[in-house]
Amino acid sequence: MPDSLFQPINLGAIEAPNRILMAPLTRGRADPGFVPNAMMAEYYRQRAGAGLIISEATGISREGLGWPSAPGIWTDAQVEGWKPVTEAVHAVGGRIVCQLWHMGRIVHPDFLDGELPVSSSATRAPGHAHTPSGTKDFVVARPLRLDELPRIVDDYGHAAENAKRAGFDGVQLHGANGYLIDQFLRDKANLRDDDYGGSPENRVRLMREVLERLIAVWGKGRVSIRLSPNGDTQGVDDSNPAAIFSEAARTIEALGLGFLELRQPGPNGTFGSTDVPQQDALIRGLFTGPLVLNSDYTAEQAAADIASGRCDAVSFGRPFISNPDLVERFRIGAELAPNVNAPRSWYFPGPEGYIDYPTLAQQTARETV
């Protein structure tokens, strides 16, 4: 394997020992109250060989979290639940940042005592929501009023402060995959005619204000963002993606973030395939910091893209599920373990398909007994 994957890199203020990052992966193992638990600490500890772990998407508020058993970071109990997780990662030399998540219109009223979810505009996501009482249709969201947007920014700021209390090494803003920030960025979901709608400059405004608040808490070198500039995601798309994501990249460059992660979906991506042009080359020309690409990479493809300068690191998602020692397997060219019972094991409660995957060394030891 070419050594480009294994060179250290400074991701802003975070010193990563290799360029194999663990992508954010929703796994649905939190306790009632969206509280992280000991099983989650073991899961992340097992994967701490990654150059950097980006945590699963983590709710910033009750309003913003609509996924059963996903973790949050807005209550003291949630903060206390995260502390053993970050301690476990740090104890074995790892690094972990918290991905901050507001789902916007993807939250079903069942999570909100019947209240409507919020979004940039009165739109409805396609498909169905998974709720504690079963699968239900999404509903038309309530547009956020101008006077509510400072509260949204405050919620992100509070979550960032809690992430620091919990022992994380930084935070990442989830600006991808059709969730709230993405609902403001792209014009298929953002139909506003005020200062947060219309032009690309207006549609990036909430993203910028949130990032400025995160920087005020963490410093710019420990703040990053994830974007998904390529095609429809959960019903969110744009009529001119080059324009909106160029403006987003210019904003992120001006703020000096630690790194930028882009979801580059392949034909088997979790959120569906895409046949639209990739935007990473355009963004690469506007953002001079570390660029991380994600989705459907092999080790060979990742090494080639880093060596060519297309990106500076690659984040791997699904391969980390069944290969807690993914970095070592890549290093020695070992075969990857399959993700048995996928996708059921991705989200099903309990340790099965979560913390019971052996490392290569454990597997070899079992086979020689």
Side-chain angles (χ1 to χ4, degrees):
M1 177 62 60
D3 66 359
S4 57
L5 281 173
F6 306 101
Q7 297 298 315
I9 183 173
N10 289 334
L11 298 169
I14 299 172
E15 297 179 1
N18 61 67
R19 300 178 185 226
I20 302 165
L21 279 55
M22 181 174 165
L25 291 161
T26 297
R27 301 304 308 277
R29 259 66 175 198
D31 285 344
F34 308 105
V35 175
N37 53 42
M39 186 169 57
M40 291 171 59
E42 175 62 12
Y43 167 76
Y44 283 110
R45 183 200 66 78
Q46 291 174 349
R47 291 155 179 81
L52 173 67
I53 294 173
I54 305 170
S55 82
E56 62 203 282
T58 301
I60 65 163
S61 63
R62 184 170 179 267
E63 171 195 78
L65 185 54
W67 191 295
S69 300
I73 196 159
W74 69 88
T75 71
D76 288 341
Q78 292 161 358
V79 172
E80 292 304 311
W82 275 116
K83 286 180 179 179
V85 177
T86 61
E87 290 167 359
V89 170
H90 293 152
V92 292
R95 299 144 185 81
I96 183 170
V97 299
C98 184
Q99 190 188 64
L100 303 180
W101 193 29
H102 191 304
M103 297 173 67
R105 70 181 191 175
I106 306 297
V107 180
H108 192 272
D110 280 8
F111 291 91
L112 304 172
D113 295 332
E115 295 293 321
L116 291 176
V118 299
S119 185
S120 56
S121 303
T123 61
R124 180 170 63 186
H128 310 283
H130 297 285
T131 78
S133 57
T135 301
K136 299 183 179 181
D137 291 340
F138 288 114
V139 303
V140 176
R142 175 179 68 79
L144 282 159
R145 303 186 309 272
L146 280 174
D147 64 356
E148 292 181 285
L149 293 175
R151 189 259 304 164
I152 296 291
V153 175
D154 286 344
D155 286 345
Y156 276 105
H158 176 65
E161 292 164 356
N162 281 348
K164 182 172 282 191
R165 290 172 54 208
F168 284 97
D169 297 299
V171 291
Q172 182 183 77
L173 176 60
H174 195 335
N177 298 1
Y179 298 116
L180 183 67
I181 297 298
D182 207 17
Q183 291 161 28
F184 271 82
L185 288 176
R186 298 201 268 179
D187 62 14
K188 186 173 180 179
N190 187 339
L191 311 178
R192 302 174 74 99
D193 59 5
D194 58 19
D195 287 347
Y196 291 82
S199 69
E201 293 81 5
N202 281 353
R203 284 183 277 133
V204 303
R205 192 181 305 274
L206 180 63
M207 180 198 78
R208 176 177 54 78
E209 291 176 346
V210 171
L211 288 172
E212 288 171 342
R213 179 63 62 85
L214 303 185
I215 290 168
V217 175
W218 277 97
K220 62 185 180 181
R222 293 186 180 274
V223 175
S224 63
I225 187 171
R226 171 179 254 225
L227 299 175
S228 53
N230 300 297
D232 183 287
T233 308
Q234 301 196 95
V236 174
D237 205 349
D238 198 83
S239 61
N240 188 351
I244 185 59
F245 287 105
S246 290
E247 185 61 30
R250 283 189 285 267
T251 300
I252 294 164
E253 170 74 5
L255 292 172
L257 297 194
F259 67 93
L260 166 61
E261 183 191 18
L262 301 180
R263 186 180 68 86
Q264 299 284 105
N268 300 310
T270 302
F271 290 93
S273 63
T274 179
D275 57 2
V276 300
Q278 304 289 283
Q279 302 291 333
D280 62 277
L282 173 68
I283 291 171
R284 183 69 152 163
L286 297 168
F287 176 70
T288 61
L291 182 66
V292 179
L293 298 185
N294 162 258
S295 205
D296 305 312
Y297 267 96
T298 66
E300 292 76 15
Q301 291 167 338
D305 276 359
I306 293 170
S308 72
R310 182 183 181 189
C311 62
D312 299 292
V314 170
S315 61
F316 292 84
R318 285 171 290 176
F320 260 116
I321 292 177
S322 53
N323 297 274
D325 57 341
L326 184 68
V327 174
E328 181 60 19
R329 288 182 187 245
F330 281 171
R331 190 186 305 278
I332 65 176
E335 183 178 358
L336 299 187
N339 191 346
V340 180
N341 293 326
R344 176 179 178 272
S345 65
W346 293 353
Y347 312 121
F348 197 78
E352 182 182 0
Y354 188 60
I355 57 173
D356 58 347
Y357 290 106
T359 64
L360 186 61
Q362 291 169 334
Q363 180 181 327
T364 301
R366 293 176 186 176
E367 291 172 351
T368 57
V369 171

